[in-house]
Amino acid sequence: MRNVEKYTTQYFMPPVPCYDWTKKEYVEKAPIWCSVDLRDGNQALIVPMSLEEKLEFFKFLVEIGFKEIEVGFPAASETEYEFLRTLIERDMIPEDVTVQVLTQAREHIIRRTFEALEGCPRAIVHLYNSTSVAQREQVFRKSKEEIIRIAVDGAKLLQKISSEMGSDFRFEYSPESFTGTEMEFARDICNAVLDVWKPTPEKKVIINLPVTVEHSMPHVYACQVEYMCKHLDYRDSVVVSLHPHNDRGCGVADCELGLLAGADRIEGTLFGNGERTGNADIVTLALNMFSQGVDPKLNFEDMPSTVALYEKVTGMHVYDRQPYGGKLVFAAFSGSHQDAIAKGMKWREEKECDHWTVPYLCIDPKDIGREYEGDVIRINSQSGKGGIGYLLEQKYGFVLPPKMREDFGYAVKNVSDHQHKELQPEEVYEIFRREYLNINDKISLVDFHFVRNDCIHAAVTVKIGGVEKEIKGDGNGRLDAVSNAIKENLGIQYQDLTYTEHALEQGSKSRAAAYVGITGKDGRITWGVGVDSDIITASVKALFSAINRQERKKD
Ligand code: KIV
Ligand code: ZN
């Protein structure tokens, strides 16, 4: 590409190797989650949320388990001020939840922020100023010492006002644009702020390390986080928090590697809503943990409702392939995938497996409120017999013999191919009904009865071209006797007859499904299905279905 020489790396590696995080394999426990949906997320919406929408979203965040929620930047916007006041005045902050407010390190903004917090039972006051080389040089035109002074003065003012108010608010400091800051300087400015606040294990301070703009691969961030964890003073009194944005699409990876590197807390949003390409997606992070057997301590058991609420209040759309939440993320259209899933599900059932190992599905969709039919096995012209048969079995209870699955698979694919569209389960069933079930047109079954002595004698009344007649045949079994009656009296030829049956529903009102395949002169099997409350009738109906279908082929 042209202009590539314009770009160069814009991040800072730690001055010493920091690769201990590579020795860890996965995140072993849930971090402290802080939702920034109502501040950072809201700030990025085309139409920011109204007060009512924010209240609804806040209640939902509490419901799914967030204990820390950044509710806004009250000094920067009237709606955010009013929102915080409403939460306080309506007593809407549960006892185990702490709200967080953001403030720049500027006196009038800090003062206004504390005004908004009047009467708040608990809060985290989040102070920030920009520390990166680019911001220092181009935006603030200040030296490192001057930037540290801004942070320290802000930290002192937080402490002063908070103690004047007699509040017990907690503090957070973010060196904004941390990843574009020299690591030694990031360390120094955070330690300078910590020296003001003097945290204790009983009253910890949060040091938040934002990836304000993502400039590097996630392993670079992990090294930076590890460096900070190793070089922050008061470490046992500091909660190290991460706040990655997603410019390179690595927001989630930044968090995961950052947690391996020693961080304790994550700031992010549902589905990664946030400025530009968004913030780290907490849904993905939490369910990634869940998929490895770690309880994320957030509840996404009803993903469809989570998506619906999120879309309603933010006006954003959850992308179809968004991990876990997207409509298509568990869907398998292709035959081989469907077959593997269907077999995996059967295996699970037969072996009574404790652990989830079904191919192609990273978690059990049911654990987050998704359905197998409709969400997983989806039918189009790419689909195969395994998935189509699985769907018919799961939704309608028909367990087709393996060879018939193939035949039915072709019939369904054909329709989807011709109509050039995905087929819904009802449409798949309709093809099955129309093609195979109780087909009784050309040669219709009117009645039958049997007499048994040395063998079974069948007398069958059929109607052909509007005329009824009785035909008779003998056999070792009932179906055999009916089959012989047809062959001997109606001049219909076939060789082998295969037969299977099963109950369709459990209990006294159950119906039976019977499947008959007859092999024609060309060696091809024609299938028919019969359903009736009486198993013999179901089998005779299945035979007539197969014969009628074979006759149809002659037209
Ligand atoms: O992305 C960012 O750097 C921020 C800070 C205010 C924490 O949102
Ligand atoms: Zn941010």
Side-chain angles (χ1 to χ4, degrees):
M1 271 179 68
R2 285 187 302 126
N3 294 335
V4 66
E5 64 283 359
K6 195 153 116 192
Y7 299 95
T8 182
T9 53
Q10 291 190 55
Y11 56 83
F12 293 88
M13 281 300 268
V16 288
C18 286
Y19 280 105
D20 285 351
W21 60 270
T22 60
K23 294 174 199 146
K24 295 197 194 137
E25 226 179 282
Y26 65 98
V27 179
E28 286 166 8
K29 81 178 210 317
I32 301 164
W33 301 109
C34 174
S35 154
V36 293
D37 290 88
L38 295 160
R39 194 276 299 173
D40 222 356
N42 184 54
Q43 204 168 298
L45 295 177
I46 302 167
V47 182
M49 284 176 260
S50 66
L51 177 65
E52 288 312 314
E53 285 164 339
K54 284 186 155 201
L55 290 172
E56 192 176 352
F57 204 173
F58 178 82
K59 279 193 213 148
F60 182 71
L61 293 168
V62 168
E63 226 171 87
I64 58 180
F66 281 98
K67 303 294 176 210
E68 296 184 1
I69 302 174
E70 193 167 87
V71 292
F73 194 158
S77 127
E78 257 323 295
T79 333
E80 300 200 6
Y81 189 95
E82 195 194 339
F83 174 50
L84 176 57
R85 293 306 315 153
T86 309
L87 291 177
I88 298 168
E89 281 158 23
R90 291 194 199 163
D91 198 13
M92 288 177 69
I93 308 165
E95 270 178 22
D96 60 346
V97 172
T98 305
V99 292
Q100 176 167 313
V101 287
L102 182 72
T103 175
Q104 280 173 354
R106 293 164 70 188
E107 183 169 350
H108 69 287
I109 293 180
I110 293 172
R111 290 197 182 280
R112 177 90 176 134
T113 306
F114 276 97
E115 273 167 39
L117 281 169
E118 193 63 55
C120 188
R122 285 162 308 285
I124 297 168
V125 186
H126 179 182
L127 175 80
Y128 79 95
N129 68 324
S130 239
T131 57
S132 67
V133 177
Q135 296 262 10
R136 289 194 324 255
E137 285 177 358
Q138 300 167 37
V139 184
F140 299 102
R141 296 174 184 242
K142 288 199 190 302
S143 67
K144 286 181 178 169
E145 293 67 33
E146 288 169 309
I147 295 288
I148 292 183
R149 171 90 6 241
I150 293 173
V152 166
D153 287 349
K156 284 182 180 161
L157 192 56
L158 250 63
Q159 200 166 42
K160 180 170 175 284
I161 303 177
S162 187
S163 78
E164 280 167 8
M165 281 171 79
S167 79
D168 197 24
F169 297 152
R170 289 164 56 205
F171 300 141
E172 169 171 341
Y173 173 67
S174 287
E176 201 226 44
S177 57
F178 159 75
T179 49
T181 307
E182 308 87 328
M183 287 301 110
E184 300 92 319
F185 182 57
R187 174 202 62 199
D188 291 347
I189 195 164
C190 291
N191 282 337
V193 168
L194 289 172
D195 273 338
V196 175
W197 288 337
K198 300 206 181 343
T200 61
E202 293 70 45
K203 192 167 181 202
K204 293 187 180 185
V205 151
I206 301 165
I207 292 292
N208 188 45
L209 306 175
V211 183
T212 304
V213 179
E214 208 175 37
H215 286 303
S216 76
M217 288 197 231
H219 75 286
V220 171
Y221 185 53
C223 294
Q224 294 168 331
V225 171
E226 183 172 315
Y227 177 79
M228 292 299 283
C229 287
K230 286 177 173 165
H231 292 87
L232 282 175
D233 298 336
Y234 310 91
R235 178 64 186 98
D236 60 346
S237 305
V238 173
V239 173
V240 174
S241 174
L242 311 179
H243 177 115
H245 281 260
N246 196 38
D247 300 80
R248 295 168 56 99
C250 302
V252 165
D254 285 339
C255 289
E256 291 183 330
L257 300 198
L259 288 172
L260 296 186
D264 313 292
R265 182 180 187 264
I266 298 289
E267 292 189 353
T269 58
L270 299 192
F271 305 112
N273 178 46
E275 257 160 318
R276 306 181 308 278
T277 50
N279 288 58
D281 170 14
I282 287 189
V283 176
T284 301
L285 274 162
L287 291 173
N288 281 356
M289 263 173 221
F290 178 72
S291 74
Q292 298 191 326
V294 177
D295 183 354
K297 311 274 187 210
L298 287 176
N299 185 342
F300 292 114
E301 284 173 15
D302 187 355
M303 186 55 70
S305 304
T306 305
V307 171
L309 180 120
Y310 165 84
E311 291 189 335
K312 180 178 147 203
V313 295
T314 61
M316 299 292 290
H317 171 67
V318 173
Y319 172 48
D320 288 351
R321 300 209 183 273
Q322 174 83 22
Y324 305 104
K327 279 205 180 69
L328 294 180
V329 296
F330 296 111
F333 289 103
S334 100
S336 61
H337 289 202
Q338 292 182 340
D339 195 47
I341 292 172
K343 286 179 177 150
M345 298 295 283
K346 247 208 164 71
W347 166 280
R348 231 187 117 57
E349 211 176 291
E350 284 165 11
K351 307 269 178 212
E352 296 177 9
C353 298
D354 287 336
H355 287 110
W356 181 258
T357 56
V358 174
Y360 296 111
L361 294 176
C362 60
I363 59 167
D364 184 347
K366 281 206 188 303
D367 288 336
I368 56 168
R370 312 275 307 253
E371 292 301 325
Y372 298 137
E373 309 99 36
D375 270 342
V376 179
I377 304 289
R378 306 264 303 246
I379 306 299
N380 66 13
S381 58
Q382 304 290 308
S383 307
K385 57 183 186 325
I388 296 170
Y390 179 79
L391 187 138
L392 202 65
E393 182 174 338
Q394 293 299 308
K395 190 139 172 100
Y396 299 100
F398 289 94
V399 188
L400 309 192
K403 284 214 164 119
M404 186 184 168
R405 280 190 174 204
E406 202 170 313
D407 194 70
F408 179 50
Y410 282 120
V412 171
K413 276 158 78 102
N414 230 354
V415 173
S416 172
D417 219 1
H418 272 89
Q419 298 184 1
H420 209 71
K421 69 172 187 97
E422 180 188 0
L423 299 176
Q424 296 308 313
E426 307 76 57
E427 295 173 288
V428 171
Y429 176 73
E430 181 51 27
I431 298 169
F432 174 72
R433 195 196 60 72
R434 196 176 64 222
E435 287 288 324
Y436 298 95
L437 192 57
N438 295 345
I439 310 291
N440 204 28
D441 45 8
K442 287 182 172 286
I443 301 167
S444 52
L445 172 69
V446 179
D447 198 8
F448 61 89
H449 52 264
F450 301 102
V451 176
R452 179 182 201 125
N453 39 46
D454 49 335
C455 67
I456 293 184
H457 308 282
V460 186
T461 308
V462 296
K463 194 190 236 178
I464 304 171
V467 182
E468 273 189 18
K469 68 174 184 176
E470 192 178 69
I471 56 173
K472 292 188 171 171
D474 300 338
N476 295 327
R478 288 180 167 85
L479 191 61
D480 190 34
V482 175
S483 172
N484 287 338
I486 293 168
K487 280 178 169 176
E488 286 158 18
N489 296 284
L490 302 180
I492 288 168
Q493 294 308 315
Y494 48 84
Q495 293 140 25
D496 297 338
L497 184 152
T498 62
Y499 170 72
T500 53
E501 66 183 41
H502 63 78
L504 260 184
E505 300 106 3
Q506 306 298 324
S508 58
K509 282 205 194 130
S510 78
R511 295 172 309 154
Y515 308 85
V516 166
I518 52 175
T519 311
K521 274 199 224 118
D522 57 1
R524 292 176 61 181
I525 305 177
T526 303
W527 293 95
V529 182
V531 168
D532 200 275
S533 53
D534 170 59
I535 184 67
I536 304 298
T537 309
S539 67
V540 175
K541 282 181 171 177
L543 176 60
F544 271 76
S545 294
I547 286 167
N548 276 303
R549 292 190 71 234
Q550 184 174 274
E551 289 303 296
R552 278 182 185 176
K553 287 182 193 165
K554 292 183 184 161
D555 293 346

